[in-house]
Amino acid sequence: MSYINDTISNDYSPWSTRSLYHNNNAMSELPEWLSLYINKPHIHDELVNHSGLEPIHWDALFNRLESLSSEDVSGRAIEISQLMQNGNVKHESSKECNFDPLPFMFSKSDWSLIVEGVKQRTQLLNQIQADIYGEQKLLIDGHINARKLYENSNYLREGFSLPNDELKLFFTAVDLYRTPSGEFKVLTDHCQCPLGLGLLLKSRIIARRVMAEEFADCSVLQIKEFLSSFQDAINEYSRYMDDPRVVILTQGIEDPNYNEHAFLSTYFGYTLVQSADLTVREGEVCLKSLQGLGKINVILRWLPDRNIDSLEQIDYSLHGIPGLLQAVREGNVKVLNPFGSGALSSPAIKCQLNKLSELLLQEPLLLSEPNYYDVEQAKTLDWKSLELLSHQDPQFKIDAAAQSEKVKDLINEQPDNYYFQDKAELSTAPFWIKGKLVAKPVIFRCYALTTEHGVEVLPSALCFSQQFSNDAGMAGWIKDTWIHTEKDTDISNAAFPTRLRMDVSLLEGVISSRTAEHLFWFGRYLERSESTVRILRIFIDKYTEAAIYSDPVRTSVVSRFVEAIRSQRIVYPYAENSAIVNESVDVSPKEMALQLLADKQCAGSIINTLEYLCNASKQIQELLSHDSRRMMDDINGQIQQLKNVTGFISTRNMQSLLDRIIGSIMAFNGSITDCMPNSNGWFLLEIGRRMERSIQINALSAALLTQEYEEAEELGVLEAVLSCQISLVTHKRRYRMHQSIGTGLELLLLDAEYPRSLLFQLEQIDDLCRHLPTKRRPGVISAHEKAILLSKTSCSITEKDYLQQSDEGQRQNLIEFCHNIRINLDTFCDVLLLQYFSHTQTAHKLNWTNIEQAQS
Amino acid sequence: MKYKIKHSTTYQYSDFVTLCQNQARLTPKTSRGQICHNSRIEIVPHANYLQQFTDYFNNNVTVFEISTQYKTLNVTVTSEVELLVTANNDIDNLDMSWTEVRDLLAAPNTKELLRTSEFILPSTLTPIETGIKEYALVSFKPEETLISACKGLMARIFHDFKYDPGFSTISTPLSVVFAQKRGVCQDFAHFALACLRSIGVAGRYVSGYIETLPPEGEEKLEGADATHAWFSVFLPGCGWVDFDPTNNVLPSEQHITLAVGRDFSDVSPLKGVVFGGGNSLLDVAVDMVRLE
């Protein structure tokens, strides 16, 4: 394929590097969707104007893509967007993040320029960081305006009392754009918590899947090495430790970037923690885990440093960890990124970077800053290409020409607070939107890692079409970015440096007590959803049947169910008696069913339980496999359907909705069965599930089987109860000759071998509790074990006939039995909460000593 | 002059505290004007972790943690501090005008000036409210020397503001103090600092102790001395010069410096985080005895 380069020969023109990606000889070879884009007028486009004299990097891509029709591309786009959505926590505030099916191609030459530039810049920033938190020569000599730096809230005085090593940059990012003349310039540095690495990884994984052939053909530079270096660098900090613990610190699920934190945690295998999971004891940072307090060696923080220590720092935050800085000062924990690096992005330093590079590195910046002007300088300039920024407020930015009156007012009022900069004229790149290519302005975020071996640059970038903001999370359009290499150089079997890496697999996973508690509740909600759906299915079945054949037995079964659901005795919160119900209001079975399905006012309704389930799943997101997360997505979708349910829904539709829900739950159960390492606390999910089932069986028996009726009616109720516990068939087979309430109770409560019996659940719980770290002296049984033992014993020694006995229509023995079991189960849960999950205690700020009055 | 100071802080809780982590700035500094010969901190119940470090403002900070359950916490610091006779008596001779000092600090070119220039910026507790600059400029006339202008400001605060212990708390905003012209030493110091900073003069907050003398013929009561606060102004070539607007004096022989900072939040004598505890009651007692 050959191209004619539309290069303007005039060397003085800033546009001299422009070329036109343009297939002249064989226009027909380019697919229509592509030639349409190329032939459109562009201001300055990456593909059309900046692809260089020999755009082999784009060729490599389009050679592959030329056979695709626009329908093919759209198909890919849809596939990608589905893959992107999987397992993500949805934030109502944040916009969707769209991932483009066309990767961005960097030529080898452009990329090597960027790599050099990013390396140089990172070195420069490191030197500045060392100076402003050390000798301060740059401030004394006036290269950096001291006042402006002091005023910046990211310049942290605490940095001065920390060891020098603690302030070195680790993982940074820089946002670049291309000017019309073809050079790359810098928009922003991200030295604190560089966002987007998780997104980049995720998009790379998807791109490799959807565009496997193109990927191979373009010989794209791999990012694996960089990620290994990243982990090696972290391991380096814990080199001398037997059992190093590395955690990723996130604000929690309310953080718009939580998905990314969870993704990185899964990817690197580091425990994801929130501030409340950590505590500082005697100068060491500890994780509150099920096993007790465990020392932490490295914290990858994704929290701002201004208020990360609520004891030492003046800026107070709920997410602060009191005493953290003291632990850092003592050298007991390494926090990455280091403190105080946010100041590097302050205008006081940013505006001087070009000069500082000349001063410190004796060379100009390869990736220069846009031109900055103070208010005085700007007065003589044309404001058309300028925008006004604030020294104080990093979010502030207004167009100087468009709002010139406002600008004049502002700079007259406080000339020192503002400065001007050249507006960035971003280049555009093609994005696939609604079936065609659209030019959108792009920014490239490049990542750098600083280790003792120097600076390493991630050989890819996050190419995005909209400024990210920390508040709104990742939104807008992104592309995977491919660095094209020539085949032969790539395949050279350069010997990989052997790395000494610990066999991390030998180390047990640690989870915080918070996560442990979420696992327990997750198990309970899982079981609760399942059983509530089953009850509702049986109930709907019964009342539709009764409507057709309305004999007294069927009618009575339905009314007992209505009663039991309405009084919340067989659904959450499993009330022990029905005194609270207002008898005067008559509820039809269908209304009852609807309430239980989709009424938010009804505590135990399916919609509420599923929402609890989804919330709990977000909290343990990083422990779930990709497939399990997809099942949770399905359940999320069903919640949305439930929200739209109205009173006009047909019974048939209700039934099929319930079938789908139970299908998702069963699929989810299947997806986790074989991947639950108990060391990660998964047994707690199982305890939760068994516990909920125990409560459920007990509640069903107590609510529906304690009253004596005519035999036919009794058997009708029993049949329904057994159906709810999927035990009807077993019961029929086992008690072929004679069936009674007694046989039903034997199967449901007393049979230690039957997997759905109460006793069986209790045995399982007892067994699972062995995984809990013991907190007692040998020879003494702890309170939760006692509660289970009591229940187990009473199940084991009770006879079915004893339970069946009735007195004046009431089975007093059964009532008592169920009541005692319930008390013991509640005790078990309380003790578990108190002994193992009691991380919830919150800290109070001690009143500061007031300065007392002096005598005048 | 040598003093022995005993500063005792007691917290009583309605409920058990299970864990507390604290930072105390209760060890007097050694500086140009004073030497801290020794200082001992006693904590009851026993702290299972105790470390010291020097903060950004060169204050001594004690970090401690108590993980035994308690309802009463007592922190007592006993220190012996010698006040040196400084050159303060001669400062009237230094005739540097405040505008010269201001201009020097606007472009700091030595480490000392750089560190000092920190203190020309408003801080959280010393916001520059409307009217404050005008108030300051009455004393800071163009040709005035820094020292005489500061003395003038100190005297005006002393006369214009009423000392009223019940009026303010730590969270009373400066604007209220200014509007009502009432407060305690801490408020006066903050107000003076806001005045200085509004016109580009460097001022820092000083927390410390002041010796009190009983009325003639009466015995001195134990615990009657007090923690105190005043402000300090930077004079190039001389260093930091203290002014006590609460008493309208230049501190010399009765003021002992504990810690310095931009405002109270930098020097808080005892701050911490507690788990549990419920309501708490605070009691502070200070004794300052002349040793020679």
Side-chain angles (χ1 to χ4, degrees), chain A residues 278-348:
Chain A
L278 299 181
T279 177
V280 177
R281 295 292 163 89
E282 309 195 3
E284 297 192 338
V285 181
C286 299
L287 174 69
K288 300 176 202 165
S289 77
L290 215 50
Q291 285 76 22
L293 296 178
K295 193 188 165 189
I296 298 298
N297 307 109
V298 182
I299 299 174
L300 278 175
R301 75 177 164 94
W302 251 264
L303 281 183
D305 52 7
R306 273 180 63 184
N307 41 27
I308 203 161
D309 184 341
S310 43
L311 171 60
E312 185 159 334
Q313 290 175 301
I314 293 169
D315 273 338
Y316 182 76
S317 155
L318 271 179
H319 300 290
I321 303 162
L324 181 64
L325 283 177
Q326 178 63 18
V328 175
R329 197 175 292 122
E330 293 242 313
N332 288 334
V333 69
K334 180 80 196 171
V335 175
L336 303 168
N337 272 327
F339 285 97
S341 48
L344 292 173
S345 322
S346 70

Side-chain angles (χ1 to χ4, degrees), chain A residues 146-147, chain B residues 99-109 112-120 200-203 234-236 240:
Chain A
R147 182 181 177 128
Chain B
T99 48
E100 276 176 90
V101 178
R102 177 195 66 193
D103 296 344
L104 260 178
L105 286 171
N109 55 9
E112 188 182 35
L113 285 176
L114 179 72
R115 280 298 177 103
T116 306
S117 70
E118 170 101 54
F119 297 99
I120 58 179
V201 173
F234 184 76
L235 182 62
W240 291 94

Side-chain angles (χ1 to χ4, degrees), chain A residues 303-516:
Chain A
L303 281 183
D305 52 7
R306 273 180 63 184
N307 41 27
I308 203 161
D309 184 341
S310 43
L311 171 60
E312 185 159 334
Q313 290 175 301
I314 293 169
D315 273 338
Y316 182 76
S317 155
L318 271 179
H319 300 290
I321 303 162
L324 181 64
L325 283 177
Q326 178 63 18
V328 175
R329 197 175 292 122
E330 293 242 313
N332 288 334
V333 69
K334 180 80 196 171
V335 175
L336 303 168
N337 272 327
F339 285 97
S341 48
L344 292 173
S345 322
S346 70
I349 290 174
K350 196 175 159 55
C351 297
Q352 302 302 325
L353 272 185
N354 287 332
K355 283 186 208 156
L356 290 171
S357 173
E358 295 281 359
L359 181 81
L360 294 173
L361 306 175
Q362 282 85 42
E363 56 189 29
L365 271 184
L366 297 173
L367 298 169
S368 63
E369 297 282 320
N371 291 322
Y372 297 108
Y373 314 95
D374 62 31
V375 167
E376 250 344 278
Q377 289 168 321
K379 280 184 178 158
T380 58
L381 296 171
D382 182 6
W383 283 8
K384 265 210 185 84
S385 62
L386 297 183
E387 49 198 10
L388 185 72
L389 290 98
S390 158
H391 276 284
Q392 321 283 347
D393 176 8
Q395 309 294 332
F396 178 90
K397 189 199 263 186
I398 58 175
D399 190 302
Q403 290 181 277
S404 60
E405 286 311 310
K406 189 177 171 194
V407 171
K408 277 178 200 156
D409 286 349
L410 287 173
I411 60 176
N412 276 338
E413 231 169 83
Q414 289 177 304
D416 279 354
N417 276 354
Y418 298 96
Y419 64 100
F420 290 82
Q421 79 174 28
D422 282 337
K423 265 191 266 182
E425 287 179 71
L426 306 186
S427 61
T428 56
F431 283 84
W432 192 259
I433 298 172
K434 290 183 184 150
K436 59 175 186 195
L437 287 177
V438 177
K440 281 182 152 292
V442 283
I443 297 167
F444 312 98
R445 181 168 294 179
C446 302
Y447 296 88
L449 178 75
T450 311
T451 64
E452 52 192 54
H453 311 298
V455 180
E456 207 168 320
V457 179
L458 176 85
S460 176
L462 196 65
C463 168
F464 58 97
S465 76
Q466 202 182 319
Q467 188 88 42
F468 290 141
S469 81
N470 285 4
D471 306 324
M474 300 288 182
W477 291 84
I478 64 163
K479 271 176 180 299
D480 193 19
T481 303
W482 294 2
I483 319 297
H484 179 254
T485 57
E486 278 117 64
K487 279 241 154 120
D488 46 330
T489 54
D490 192 37
I491 316 286
S492 71
N493 268 333
F496 279 94
T498 24
R499 294 170 192 281
L500 286 173
R501 209 173 290 162
M502 280 195 71
D503 188 359
V504 187
S505 62
L506 288 174
L507 308 171
E508 241 190 277
V510 207
I511 55 155
S512 62
S513 350
R514 181 183 49 81
T515 310

Side-chain angles (χ1 to χ4, degrees), chain B residues 155-175:
Chain B
R156 279 174 55 228
I157 293 175
F158 178 75
H159 291 296
D160 291 354
F161 286 67
K162 183 171 164 38
Y163 185 83
D164 184 351
F167 175 73
S168 62
T169 69
I170 179 67
S171 52
T172 307
L174 197 58
S175 55

Side-chain angles (χ1 to χ4, degrees), chain A residues 10 22 71 132 224 255 270 300 383 426 442 452 469 486 506 522 532 558 617 641 671 726:
Chain A
N10 182 357
H22 185 164
E71 286 75 25
I132 60 172
K224 220 173 102 195
D255 188 319
Y270 300 142
L300 278 175
W383 283 8
L426 306 186
V442 283
E452 52 192 54
S469 81
E486 278 117 64
L506 288 174
F522 187 71
T532 314
V558 170
S617 84
Q641 285 181 336
S671 77
I726 17 176

